[in-house]
Amino acid sequence: MSARNLGTELGSFLECFSCLLSHLALPHPENAYLSWISKIQVNQPAVLRRAEQIQARRVVKKEWQAAWLLKAVTFIDLTTLSGDDTSSNVQRLCYKAKYPIREDLLKALNVHDKGLTTAAVCVYPARVCDAVKALKAAGSTIPVASVATGFPAGQTHLKTRLEEIRLAVEDGATEIDVVINRTLVLTGQWEALYDEIRQFRKTCGEAHLKTILATGELGSLTNVYKASMIAMMAGSDFIKTSTGKETVNATFPVAIVMLRAIRDFFWKTGNKIGFKPAGGIRSAKDSLAWLSLIKEELGDEWLTPELFRIGASTLLSDIERQIYHHVTGRYAAYHDLPMS
């Protein structure tokens, strides 16, 4: 299904997009170059049909499933974002990130020497130092990601949100997951949204910027597409579905719209932007469906940690249980996987 089938009015979009790109370096792009945003519409029935196709697919089996599940591990941003986070449970998280699957299981699959780890560890800004310290002590180079900008609501003053980014980077975070101010989307303030994300981009410096759209609170799939495009134009390295704290988090319809936006952006600019679904992805079977979606919508080039992540806190446990079953032929008891 083409982007035109998504209902985006790409005729108008493509005419002015090249002009817009030439102005992206400006801190305040003229309204004329953002006017096309108001004309975009997403064909919701078409998106829902595509989502049903993905969910109806049979998952891979046996050794193919094990291989895909191990690949899924490498895309996980292993996350703890709880009010009772402490230095000790962050340290435990970092250990699990470095050793995500029991070594004897990896030996049985002959992949024990591949250096399998999760893609990153994601924590609150106040816990960045704990994560950096724990990973350094473990001799690991796994990146530390930090949420920021008034996570999860994004309703604090802009100055405070920017300072939160600065402090997280100063403490050693190399990836920053910012959350947008949803009010700007719901009221159609696209230039203001662009300006805010540009400031986030500048404050991140060399750190990767992942922009959380909180799609469950954007009101429509059309708004999801518009916000995705603005985030990419403003310099985001990734666009991310959710904080994991909304009532509705990562869903296939939302993902399809965001992935089509990524593809449209790539076609016009040559720039590959990453994608991160987060929230509600808990089972190994779910992770396989997400990998299949990425492969079909964007291709194998996006199936790398540089361009695809899964934000999750419990997914890894189920993947390890499935690997245990594949190797031993039985499901693990609680004591078999004590670090899960």
Side-chain angles (χ1 to χ4, degrees):
M1 180 168 46
S2 69
R4 187 176 298 277
N5 286 339
L6 270 180
T8 54
E9 296 187 3
L10 288 182
S12 300
F13 166 59
L14 297 179
E15 288 175 6
C16 64
F17 196 41
S18 297
C19 296
L20 175 63
L21 292 174
S22 66
H23 287 73
L24 287 185
L26 296 176
H28 300 288
E30 297 179 20
N31 287 330
Y33 297 104
L34 293 175
S35 63
W36 61 270
I37 281 284
S38 64
K39 300 178 182 179
I40 291 172
Q41 292 295 323
V42 169
N43 184 339
Q44 182 169 328
V47 173
L48 296 180
R49 285 195 299 272
R50 175 67 174 131
E52 289 174 0
Q53 292 174 355
I54 290 293
Q55 292 170 286
R57 296 282 173 80
R58 294 181 61 186
V59 297
V60 291
K61 299 293 184 181
K62 298 184 179 180
E63 65 271 15
W64 294 104
Q65 183 182 77
W68 276 90
L69 288 177
L70 292 176
K71 191 173 184 68
V73 169
T74 68
F75 299 136
I76 294 176
D77 280 1
L78 196 58
T79 303
T80 181
L81 296 170
S82 300
D84 59 355
D85 283 343
T86 63
S87 59
S88 60
N89 78 295
V90 169
Q91 184 177 9
R92 182 180 183 277
L93 188 82
C94 292
Y95 181 89
K96 189 62 177 174
K98 185 177 181 183
Y99 304 104
I101 306 293
R102 261 178 35 177
E103 186 176 5
D104 61 315
L105 301 178
L106 295 179
K107 285 183 177 179
L109 296 171
N110 197 31
V111 293
H112 58 285
D113 58 348
K114 302 301 183 182
L116 184 75
T117 71
T118 67
V121 168
C122 185
V123 295
Y124 275 119
R127 302 264 73 94
V128 168
C129 284
D130 295 331
V132 170
K133 181 179 178 181
L135 290 169
K136 184 177 180 180
S140 175
T141 58
I142 297 172
V144 174
S146 174
V147 296
T149 65
F151 180 95
Q155 292 287 353
T156 52
H157 290 293
L158 179 59
K159 184 178 180 180
T160 303
R161 286 181 278 155
L162 294 173
E163 182 67 4
E164 196 171 35
I165 294 173
R166 189 188 67 79
L167 290 172
V169 172
E170 187 177 276
D171 286 344
T174 56
E175 300 179 1
I176 303 295
D177 290 30
V178 303
V179 61
I180 66 169
N181 180 350
R182 275 77 102 189
T183 299
L184 300 178
V185 175
L186 296 172
T187 56
Q189 299 181 65
W190 303 112
E191 186 174 351
L193 178 63
Y194 174 91
D195 288 343
E196 282 203 359
I197 298 175
R198 286 294 293 177
Q199 291 184 68
F200 297 160
R201 169 72 275 166
K202 182 179 180 181
T203 307
C204 280
E206 296 299 316
H208 283 198
L209 173 64
K210 303 196 202 92
T211 300
I212 308 171
L213 304 183
T215 55
E217 297 178 349
L218 296 188
S220 70
L221 293 178
T222 296
N223 278 345
V224 170
Y225 185 96
K226 293 177 180 180
S228 298
M229 195 60 70
I230 291 293
M232 291 186 287
M233 286 190 281
S236 302
D237 296 297
F238 272 74
I239 52 175
K240 178 178 170 182
T241 61
S242 321
T243 67
K245 307 294 185 181
E246 294 89 57
T247 304
V248 178
N249 292 289
T251 67
F252 288 114
V254 158
I256 289 165
V257 172
M258 293 175 69
L259 293 174
R260 296 296 173 86
I262 288 172
R263 192 168 68 188
D264 292 343
F265 190 79
F266 172 65
W267 282 348
K268 287 306 297 178
T269 69
N271 295 325
K272 296 177 181 177
I273 305 300
F275 175 67
K276 179 178 174 179
I281 304 174
R282 298 185 178 90
S283 73
K285 183 179 179 180
D286 288 342
S287 70
L288 294 176
W290 283 99
L291 266 64
S292 176
L293 178 64
I294 299 301
K295 182 179 177 66
E296 292 185 15
E297 290 290 332
L298 295 177
D300 290 339
E301 292 179 70
W302 261 264
L303 283 174
T304 69
E306 289 73 32
L307 290 170
F308 178 56
R309 301 287 181 86
I310 301 173
S313 56
T314 60
L315 171 62
L316 181 57
S317 297
D318 192 54
I319 289 178
E320 189 172 24
R321 278 191 286 270
Q322 297 303 320
I323 295 296
Y324 183 95
H325 181 269
H326 175 76
V327 170
T328 67
R330 62 183 178 85
Y331 285 105
Y334 181 78
H335 63 270
D336 290 322
L337 302 173
M339 282 294 292
S340 292

